[in-house]
């Protein structure tokens, strides 16, 4: 479709233009720099209009009238001059019910659009947006989340006068889903539709600030947030979008010795821990077992033998793996196990364990996989060639 987006340089507009373009629509982006002639051409060909342009901050009351009510009147006049009765979606605000200059101007713009429907039958979609958050928001402007994210990402202090104060927020991607969905409703009866977007329950400013500090500290703690909570997941994505470009990277603690290295990568409260293990040629690591702790091994570079022996038994089971296989091995409980680098280069293994390491409860017991009672190396290597591959490991 050919779609006109006014206020295309704003927070919602920038996100919406990107989404519509990605879906293959032809988007006419109207900003303050768009000329009258160009805007006329946009209105001539648009099949749908997203009217997002407006003013939400000014010390001069007439700016609200001009930027919100006046811009809506000009849009309707231009469309009418082009004999274009395309549907219009209008970005109003929850403040339209309040008696302040901004709220009054938004309410007046809504009434202008209602009158246009009565006069021409044009379909109108009215949205009274709450506070919105997400990528590309402008900090220190009209979004507390954008301001908080920007400042935390730059080690700047937050000014919170009332941490218990709550705000209702909607996430930009949820808003986009609803807005783009209007394009599939072109067959609806012409009317004025009062639409809504998905809104999170009220959340305290202090909690938002606390979550953001946790996100910042995660580079040290290696903890990732609880991503099964929709708000936390969306806030974390938003926070990362505000990182300065020179702060995308961070270093991990490399625990290194003559045998190789071991580096923790990610810790979670309920999904375990991910680490990277490097072993030099000829080195064997492991030789321990666990009661409850279980792991998955994925060799991503090099060549290895991974051996298992059930505690209390003598038979050794061996798997031959290489980085080219991308084969995951489960490390079951009750089996002592080790991994030997039998190649000529460093052996790199990604290890997932179902719980983050706790020095007070390591659940790790030393026991050699191979001893005097186990099979010979030649027998183990032959067995590994015919062993049924494991579907997953770490």
């Amino acid at each position: 479709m050919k779609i006109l987006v006014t206020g295309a340089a704003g927070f919602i507009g920038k996100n919406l233009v990107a989404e519509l373009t990605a879906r293959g629509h032809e988007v006419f982006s109207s900003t303050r720099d768009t000329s009258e002639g160009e805007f006329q051409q946009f209105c001539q060909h648009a099949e749908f209009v997203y009217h997002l342009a407006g003013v939400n901050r000014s010390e001069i009351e007439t700016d609200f009238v001009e930027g919100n009510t006046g811009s809506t009147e000009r849009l309707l006049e231009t469309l009418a001059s082009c004999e274009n009765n395309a549907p219009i979606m209008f970005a109003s605000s929850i403040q339209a019910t309040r008696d302040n200059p901004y709220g009054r101007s938004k309410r007046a713009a809504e009434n202008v659009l209602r009158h246009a429907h009565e006069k021409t039958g044009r379909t109108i979609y009215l949205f009274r947006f709450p506070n919105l958050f997400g990528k590309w928001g402008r900090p220190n402007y009209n979004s507390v989340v954008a301001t908080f994210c920007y400042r935390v990402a730059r080690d700047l202090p937050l000014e919170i006068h009332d941490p218990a104060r709550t705000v209702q927020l909607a996430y930009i991607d949820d808003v986009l889903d609803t807005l783009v969905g209007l394009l599939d409703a072109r067959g609806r009866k012409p009317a004025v539709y009062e639409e809504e977007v998905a809104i999170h329950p009220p959340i305290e400013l202090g909690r938002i600030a606390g979550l953001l500090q946790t996100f910042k500290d995660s580079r040290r703690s290696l903890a990732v947030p609880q991503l099964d909570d929709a708000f936390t997941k969306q806030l974390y994505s938003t926070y990362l979008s505000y990182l300065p470009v020179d702060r995308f990277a961070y270093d991990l603690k490399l625990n290194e010795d003559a045998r190789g290295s071991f580096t923790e990568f990610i810790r979670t409260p309920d999904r375990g821990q991910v680490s990277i293990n490097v072993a030099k040629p000829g080195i064997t690591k492991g030789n321990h077992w666990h009661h409850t702790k279980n792991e998955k091994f994925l060799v991503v570079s090099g060549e290895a033998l991974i051996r298992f022996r059930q505690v209390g038994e003598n038979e050794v089971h061996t798997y031959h793996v290489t980085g080219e296989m991308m084969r995951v091995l489960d490390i079951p409980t009750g089996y002592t196990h080790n991994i030997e680098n039998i190649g000529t280069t460093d052996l790199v293994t990604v290890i997932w364990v179902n719980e983050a390491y706790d020095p007070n409860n390591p659940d790790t017991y030393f026991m050699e996989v191979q001893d005097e009672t186990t099979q010979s190396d030649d027998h183990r290597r032959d067995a590994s060639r015919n062993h049924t591959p494991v579907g997953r490991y770490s």
Side-chain angles (χ1 to χ4, degrees), residues 35-329:
S35 67
E36 288 288 339
E38 191 176 19
F39 187 68
Q40 183 85 19
Q41 288 295 313
F42 291 166
C43 289
Q44 177 74 43
H45 299 290
E47 300 172 79
F48 194 99
V49 179
Y50 290 99
H51 183 36
L52 310 177
V55 173
N56 54 16
R57 292 189 70 173
S58 178
E59 299 296 326
I60 304 172
E61 183 169 346
T62 54
D63 286 349
F64 294 110
V65 177
E66 174 66 16
N68 296 321
T69 313
S71 68
T72 304
E73 291 171 337
R74 285 194 299 276
L75 170 64
L76 288 167
E77 290 169 0
T78 307
L79 288 170
S81 70
C82 299
E83 298 182 350
N84 186 341
N85 207 37
I88 297 176
M89 169 270 156
F90 176 59
S92 188
S93 166
I94 55 174
Q95 293 198 45
T97 60
R98 301 177 186 177
D99 189 21
N100 59 48
Y102 175 61
R104 289 194 296 270
S105 67
K106 282 293 189 181
R107 190 164 62 250
E110 291 178 4
N111 291 334
V112 168
L113 289 165
R114 291 180 188 277
H115 179 68
H117 165 72
E118 294 171 359
K119 184 178 179 181
T120 66
R122 185 190 302 275
T123 296
I124 304 295
Y125 299 98
L126 300 178
F127 286 81
R128 288 184 173 178
F129 288 132
N131 294 294
L132 306 181
F133 73 103
K135 66 184 182 300
W136 303 337
R138 179 178 170 186
N140 304 312
Y141 186 59
N142 65 331
S143 169
V144 63
V145 173
T147 301
F148 280 11
C149 288
Y150 179 88
R151 296 187 69 84
V152 170
R154 287 160 178 77
D155 304 320
L156 300 173
L158 299 182
E159 297 179 5
I160 307 176
H161 301 294
D162 181 8
R165 178 190 167 194
T166 62
V167 291
Q168 271 202 310
L169 297 167
Y171 184 55
I172 188 61
D173 285 6
D174 293 334
V175 172
L176 295 182
D177 285 344
T178 302
L179 296 186
V180 174
L182 299 177
L183 301 178
D184 297 326
R186 285 175 288 168
R188 293 171 67 178
K189 177 182 177 182
V192 176
Y193 295 96
E194 296 181 3
E195 302 284 350
E196 295 181 350
V197 294
I199 300 175
H200 288 287
I203 183 170
E204 295 180 346
L205 293 178
R207 186 188 168 213
I208 296 173
L211 285 171
L212 292 175
Q213 189 62 49
T214 299
F215 300 160
K216 177 184 175 182
D217 294 343
S218 68
R219 290 186 166 189
R220 173 186 52 78
S221 68
L222 306 182
V224 295
Q226 291 283 111
L227 300 181
D228 55 345
D229 175 71
F231 177 76
T232 303
K233 177 181 179 180
Q234 294 168 353
L235 185 65
Y236 184 54
S237 295
T238 301
Y239 167 74
L240 292 178
S241 74
Y242 285 87
L243 288 174
V245 293
D246 60 351
R247 294 193 181 186
F248 288 177
Y250 61 101
D251 296 322
L252 299 173
K253 181 183 178 182
L254 182 68
N255 301 292
E256 193 172 20
D257 59 25
R259 300 175 305 154
S261 64
F262 184 83
T263 306
E264 294 184 13
F265 176 28
I266 289 176
R267 283 174 167 246
T268 71
D270 62 339
R271 293 293 191 273
Q273 173 179 312
V274 178
S275 305
I276 309 299
N277 185 49
V278 178
K280 297 294 183 181
I283 294 297
T284 298
K285 289 188 174 185
N287 286 314
H288 59 239
W289 64 277
H290 315 287
H291 278 298
T292 302
K293 182 179 296 183
N294 55 84
E295 301 164 298
K296 292 180 181 291
F297 285 0
L298 172 61
V299 170
V300 296
S301 181
E303 183 178 9
L305 291 179
I306 301 176
R307 303 182 180 91
F308 302 84
R309 178 168 63 85
Q310 187 170 349
V311 174
E313 297 188 0
N314 294 329
E315 185 178 5
V316 174
H317 308 276
T318 306
Y319 285 82
H320 173 254
V321 292
T322 69
E324 289 75 23
M325 291 179 178
M326 283 295 139
R327 176 175 295 163
V328 181
L329 266 71

